[in-house]
Amino acid sequence: MEHVTQKQRDEVVAHFKYKGILIDERPYGSGHINDTFLLTFEIAEMGQLKVILQRMNKEVFSNPVELMENIVGVTSYLRERIIENGGDPERETLNVIPTVDDKPYYLDSYGDYWRSYKFITDATSYDKVENPQHFYQSAVAFGNFQRLLADYPADTLHETIVGFHDTKARFATFKKVVEEDVMGRAASVKKEIQFVLDREDIADYFSDLQAKGEIPLRVTHNDTKLNNIMIDNKTGKGICVIDLDTVMPGLAMNDFGDSIRFGASTAAEDEQNLDKVSCSMDLFDLYAKGFIKGCAGKLTKKEINLMPMGAKTMTFECGMRFLTDYLQGDVYFKIHRDGHNLDRCRAQFKLVEDMEKKWYTMQDIVKKYSNS
Ligand code: ADP
Ligand code: GN1
Ligand code: MG
């Protein structure tokens, strides 16, 4: 997508129901998809107030209007549940700031869609596990999120990205992209391509079980990496689940698995030194414990026993998506250096290999919880 200009942002800012004088604006966060800005306003004698402003990625989300319908629906629902439970709805769910026309998004004169959220104060979104307790608390919060949405009317949700975690379909796309090789990069990544082709069984696994009706579809988050949760600076609790663009019917194991991929790794998602990349069994255990606690009895024994498969599937799928994007010329994920998507892909595949080595340990860990 085109770079956001100051002129464009000025137009957008003027169309939201903001109060006060804008005193600071800066790019914010490390998401791979949307363009996020932090704005600070000065409101007369009342002091400063921060808000998040985001340009939605319309190449990734082809229907931003439906997407915002999902977000308004889900956040209003969560707001009621949070109030019932005596929580703070200003901090425990996203709050959409409307436009001057009372819409949840603004379509600017460049054809881009924007939205704005109240900034969640006194909380941090971590790119890496700095304290294992944060990871545990993020697990409880993601589990809790799924539990709170268990009775949400799933048929009212739009599928914002069709086949988002259809790993089988992504495998088919990958093969096509390798054949087309539009950038002429395939010859230089033969080893990585072979890694994917050797593991078609992973891509098919959940899809086959779903076809047999053995695993339920639930309302899930589908992008449960650690930086999509705000951790309260004082209590260390997972205060708010953010990045709700992909809340859709999905599999509990995949929500579990994507958190493991990102948070239980001993290195960053884009680590170049693969010797540093492994899947920590201590963190895996901690997350399993927290997630199952957060879901509070809503998961079946089968779903719990399949959690290691969720971790392997999500890591494999994400690595394959990074490689697909590398082969297509880095058109999907934001990159910050040459070969960034390839680095990300290699780190994911190193993790998959490590999970394959630790497979029985992972199984034993979840069995401990499914039997309790
Ligand atoms: P992306 O889809 O690009 O990952 P996110 O919605 O996750 O976009 O936002 C990017 C980052 O911005 C988050 O990781 C988080 O650090 C920050 N952020 C987003 N929304 C809020 C909010 N309401 N309050 C505080 N920080 C936020
Ligand atoms: C993207 O939006 P963000 O940065 O939280 C991606 C996820 C990937 C993740 C890899 C909509 O997440 O699916 O797992 O990057 N989101 C979308 O870091 O494609
Ligand atoms: Mg994000």
Side-chain angles (χ1 to χ4, degrees), residues 22 32 79 111 141 152 193 204-205 242 254 364:
L22 179 63
H32 295 338
R79 193 180 177 82
Y152 190 81
I193 292 173
D204 291 347
Y205 197 86
I242 61 170
N254 286 344
D364 287 345

Side-chain angles (χ1 to χ4, degrees), residues 185-252:
R185 288 177 171 176
S188 63
V189 289
K190 280 203 182 113
K191 206 173 112 201
E192 288 75 13
I193 292 173
Q194 198 53 48
F195 186 94
V196 176
L197 298 179
D198 288 344
R199 287 168 177 75
E200 188 166 3
D201 56 326
I202 304 180
D204 291 347
Y205 197 86
F206 283 145
S207 153
D208 292 351
L209 285 184
Q210 269 179 284
K212 286 192 236 156
E214 290 187 19
I215 42 177
L217 267 183
R218 301 181 183 279
V219 175
T220 51
H221 182 279
N222 296 306
D223 188 2
T224 51
K225 60 182 180 181
L226 186 64
N227 65 18
N228 285 333
I229 197 154
M230 305 301 301
I231 305 281
D232 189 292
N233 293 341
K234 279 202 200 88
T235 63
K237 296 244 159 80
I239 189 84
C240 181
V241 173
I242 61 170
D243 203 344
L244 306 178
D245 296 334
T246 51
V247 173
M248 292 181 276
L251 302 176

Side-chain angles (χ1 to χ4, degrees), residues 58-69:
K58 64 179 177 197
E59 275 148 29
V60 167
F61 301 107
S62 54
N63 197 332
V65 176
E66 286 188 356
L67 186 154
M68 286 313 290
E69 241 176 76

